[in-house]
Amino acid sequence: ELWPKAKAAVQRALELDPTLAEAHACQGWISMYSDWDWARAEYHFLRAIDLNPGYMEAHLWYSQYLGHTAENSEAAIRQLRLAHDVDPLSPMVIAQLASHLIVSGRVEEGLAEADRALELAPGHVNAHIHKAWALRFLSRHQEAIELLEPVRTVHHWVLGELAVTYAEAGRREEAQAILDEGELSAAWPVLAAAVCAALGLVNKAFELMDRGYQTRSIGMLVLKWWPNLDPLRDDPRFEDLVRRVGLV
């Protein structure tokens, strides 16, 4: 319901001032998350950065674009370093940096950045999630569970991460219970798909992701880099899904 209003607003802003970096960055964000128009999104992100290199959100959102589309996280990390130079106390930037460090294999560095984000903002959702990733990758599943359980109701992504961690820790019944509640599949099909993947329910995972594609769920943009989908990547259906979303 809100996308048309956002599109109209950003179009009006650009009509009033085509050199406004904030408007170009917003157009990039809309082109990415609403339209899945990758070329247009990148054009507007780069235009925003060119117009105002000191606009933190342009670097942050462009790093998200690079994370969704690139084969590795190094370019995204460079953008986040630039965003951090502009706003060194932004927990969002630091938490995002943590995620890309972890995905690129620099898990200990990512864990340190996630801790730093939590020091600045103890309730930051992304920082909790990304710290839990690092703990899981280090086989410290119980610590990840203890981190996520107190905030499980804050956001569906926390609940999904908790369910995946339960499954990897061998607590399958608890993971299945979260899946059976239906909240994840209704709100974010890709979250429920990740839980299914961790439980070995491969066909159900692809059924859910196909639903996410059909409804153009924002969550589908994590396909190329999200570690929770790793168990599905060797299936030919996965690459087909990446192609349909336009991330090839």
Side-chain angles (χ1 to χ4, degrees), residues 125-182:
V125 172
N126 286 2
H128 278 88
I129 292 170
H130 300 155
K131 181 174 181 177
W133 287 359
L135 292 171
R136 278 175 42 218
F137 291 165
L138 296 170
S139 299
R140 293 160 60 180
H141 290 84
Q142 184 56 37
E143 291 178 64
I145 290 169
E146 291 172 359
L147 174 71
L148 295 171
E149 279 184 334
V151 293
R152 62 183 291 164
T153 61
V154 171
H155 198 284
H156 287 115
W157 281 85
V158 177
L159 188 62
E161 185 67 32
L162 177 62
V164 170
T165 308
Y166 278 148
E168 290 189 1
R171 296 165 63 171
R172 296 176 60 87
E173 291 183 1
E174 289 162 284
Q176 186 67 54
I178 291 175
L179 192 61
D180 291 344
E181 290 171 3

Side-chain angles (χ1 to χ4, degrees), residues 83-121:
H84 185 267
D85 289 343
V86 175
D87 187 353
L89 296 180
S90 168
M92 176 62 78
V93 170
I94 298 168
Q96 189 89 351
L97 178 59
S99 75
H100 286 291
L101 288 168
I102 293 164
V103 170
S104 66
R106 296 153 67 177
V107 180
E108 294 284 0
E109 287 181 69
L111 178 58
E113 294 295 342
D115 278 331
R116 191 157 68 94
L118 286 170
E119 288 175 6
L120 289 167

Side-chain angles (χ1 to χ4, degrees), residues 5-212:
K5 295 180 181 180
K7 291 177 181 180
V10 77
Q11 181 178 351
R12 180 61 177 147
L14 287 169
E15 288 171 356
L16 290 168
D17 185 356
T19 66
L20 191 64
E22 292 85 349
H24 281 283
C26 287
Q27 180 61 70
W29 203 92
I30 291 169
S31 297
M32 176 169 63
Y33 283 114
S34 173
D35 302 334
W36 298 0
D37 186 337
W38 306 107
R40 190 179 188 205
E42 183 167 42
Y43 167 81
H44 284 285
F45 287 136
L46 291 174
R47 182 68 177 134
I49 291 169
D50 182 55
L51 289 167
N52 184 2
Y55 182 45
M56 183 272 282
E57 281 81 357
H59 294 290
L60 174 64
W61 295 343
Y62 187 41
S63 79
Q64 293 172 349
Y65 168 92
L66 291 167
H68 293 324
T69 60
E71 295 297 330
N72 62 65
S73 291
E74 292 306 314
I77 289 171
R78 286 195 293 273
Q79 288 299 317
L80 288 165
R81 299 288 191 199
L82 292 170
H84 185 267
D85 289 343
V86 175
D87 187 353
L89 296 180
S90 168
M92 176 62 78
V93 170
I94 298 168
Q96 189 89 351
L97 178 59
S99 75
H100 286 291
L101 288 168
I102 293 164
V103 170
S104 66
R106 296 153 67 177
V107 180
E108 294 284 0
E109 287 181 69
L111 178 58
E113 294 295 342
D115 278 331
R116 191 157 68 94
L118 286 170
E119 288 175 6
L120 289 167
H124 201 279
V125 172
N126 286 2
H128 278 88
I129 292 170
H130 300 155
K131 181 174 181 177
W133 287 359
L135 292 171
R136 278 175 42 218
F137 291 165
L138 296 170
S139 299
R140 293 160 60 180
H141 290 84
Q142 184 56 37
E143 291 178 64
I145 290 169
E146 291 172 359
L147 174 71
L148 295 171
E149 279 184 334
V151 293
R152 62 183 291 164
T153 61
V154 171
H155 198 284
H156 287 115
W157 281 85
V158 177
L159 188 62
E161 185 67 32
L162 177 62
V164 170
T165 308
Y166 278 148
E168 290 189 1
R171 296 165 63 171
R172 296 176 60 87
E173 291 183 1
E174 289 162 284
Q176 186 67 54
I178 291 175
L179 192 61
D180 291 344
E181 290 171 3
E183 285 188 49
L184 297 182
S185 57
W188 299 88
V190 73
L191 287 178
V195 181
C196 288
L199 290 169
L201 307 173
V202 174
N203 289 334
K204 180 64 175 177
F206 279 103
E207 177 186 320
L208 286 160
M209 288 197 293
D210 189 63
R211 186 197 306 171

